[in-house]
Amino acid sequence: MVLGVLGAIVGSFLATLVIRWPQGRSVIGGRSACDGCGRTLRALDLVPLLSALASRGRCRTCGAAIDPRHWQIELGCAVLGVISGVAVPGPAGVAGAVFGWLLLTLAALDVAAFWLPDALTGALAVAGIASIAVAPPAWPDRVIGGVAGFVSLWLIAFAYRRLRGREGLGGGDPKLFGAIGLWVGWAMLPFVLLLACIVGLGAALAARVRGQKVAATDWVPFGALLAIAAYPVWLVMIAFGP
């Protein structure tokens, strides 16, 4: 449960990052304020999850709706922390929570702005290398996974661009897949890719059922799909062995 509480706290910062960063606003500078009336938020307004629940997601002064991504990311990080701590107790569980928190942040940024910041992907890669000390797989598998993840998607993007004359993958997707490879190793990368495609297909079918038009030329946040798929694959690998 400690990782769950820590996840909610970390999620509060990560939610601010997801909302402010694409807008070019400072993530760490200045005090938090209501986007509607500009009122500076006090400590009681910033308690992860509880403040949103008490205020019903609205500013207590002007009644403006607070971006729901605040409590959604806080809740997501809390859940990921609990799952990691329960499924894989000890240092490996802490590593898994960090993995999940970074993936959730990258997915949220990709969905909101089709953007996978190099700084955040780099942090994911560095954390993956550091986690060698507490969790499998061994470093050769991770290094091969990092290289194979990046090169495979880069080649796919290059071939698509040459054949179709337009971009098929964003520049951040190969980097993200490479960073994921540093966590799960080369052997698990096909499962990450397969699960990402299944999730994407499910989302497209759900959109069609809701009456939305889905075309082959529509932009899809593929990085978000990779991020969503990577955590359960890591969890299965760490729990049952590579």
Side-chain angles (χ1 to χ4, degrees):
M1 291 302 176
V2 173
L3 279 177
V5 175
L6 181 59
I9 296 171
V10 171
S12 181
F13 169 75
L14 294 178
T16 301
L17 182 149
V18 168
I19 294 168
R20 292 186 181 182
W21 205 355
Q23 300 173 355
R25 298 163 57 192
S26 174
V27 176
I28 58 176
R31 298 186 63 182
S32 297
C34 171
D35 291 329
C37 64
R39 177 179 67 88
T40 299
L41 301 181
R42 297 181 298 178
L44 289 177
D45 299 312
L46 300 173
V47 179
L49 293 176
L50 297 181
S51 293
L53 183 62
S55 66
R56 297 184 179 181
R58 293 188 174 274
C59 174
R60 293 188 294 106
T61 301
C62 68
I66 298 172
D67 194 317
R69 285 177 292 179
H70 282 290
W71 70 263
Q72 290 168 354
I73 293 175
E74 290 170 0
L75 179 60
C77 287
V79 170
L80 288 169
V82 171
I83 292 174
S84 298
V86 171
V88 194
V94 176
V98 171
F99 186 43
W101 296 338
L102 289 172
L103 288 173
L104 177 59
T105 307
L106 284 160
L109 283 168
D110 200 28
V111 169
F114 290 101
W115 184 40
L116 297 170
D118 287 346
L120 203 56
T121 305
L124 182 70
V126 171
I129 295 172
S131 70
I132 294 174
V134 296
W139 71 265
D141 292 334
R142 290 178 185 250
V143 172
I144 296 172
V147 174
F150 174 80
V151 171
S152 60
L153 284 197
W154 186 90
L155 288 174
I156 291 172
F158 175 77
Y160 187 93
R161 186 167 57 251
R162 292 296 297 269
L163 291 172
R164 301 295 297 274
R166 58 186 175 88
E167 296 293 336
L169 285 175
D173 295 331
K175 299 173 187 177
L176 174 59
F177 202 38
I180 290 171
L182 290 172
W183 278 87
V184 303
W186 64 269
M188 302 304 289
L189 282 179
F191 296 100
V192 174
L193 191 58
L194 175 62
L195 184 55
C197 292
I198 292 173
V199 172
L201 179 60
L205 291 175
R208 290 291 297 271
V209 169
R210 293 195 300 268
Q212 299 178 11
K213 293 182 179 180
V214 179
T217 55
D218 289 347
W219 281 91
V220 175
F222 189 62
L225 299 178
L226 291 174
I228 291 170
Y231 180 78
V233 169
W234 178 87
L235 198 62
V236 170
M237 179 199 71
I238 204 76
F240 299 103

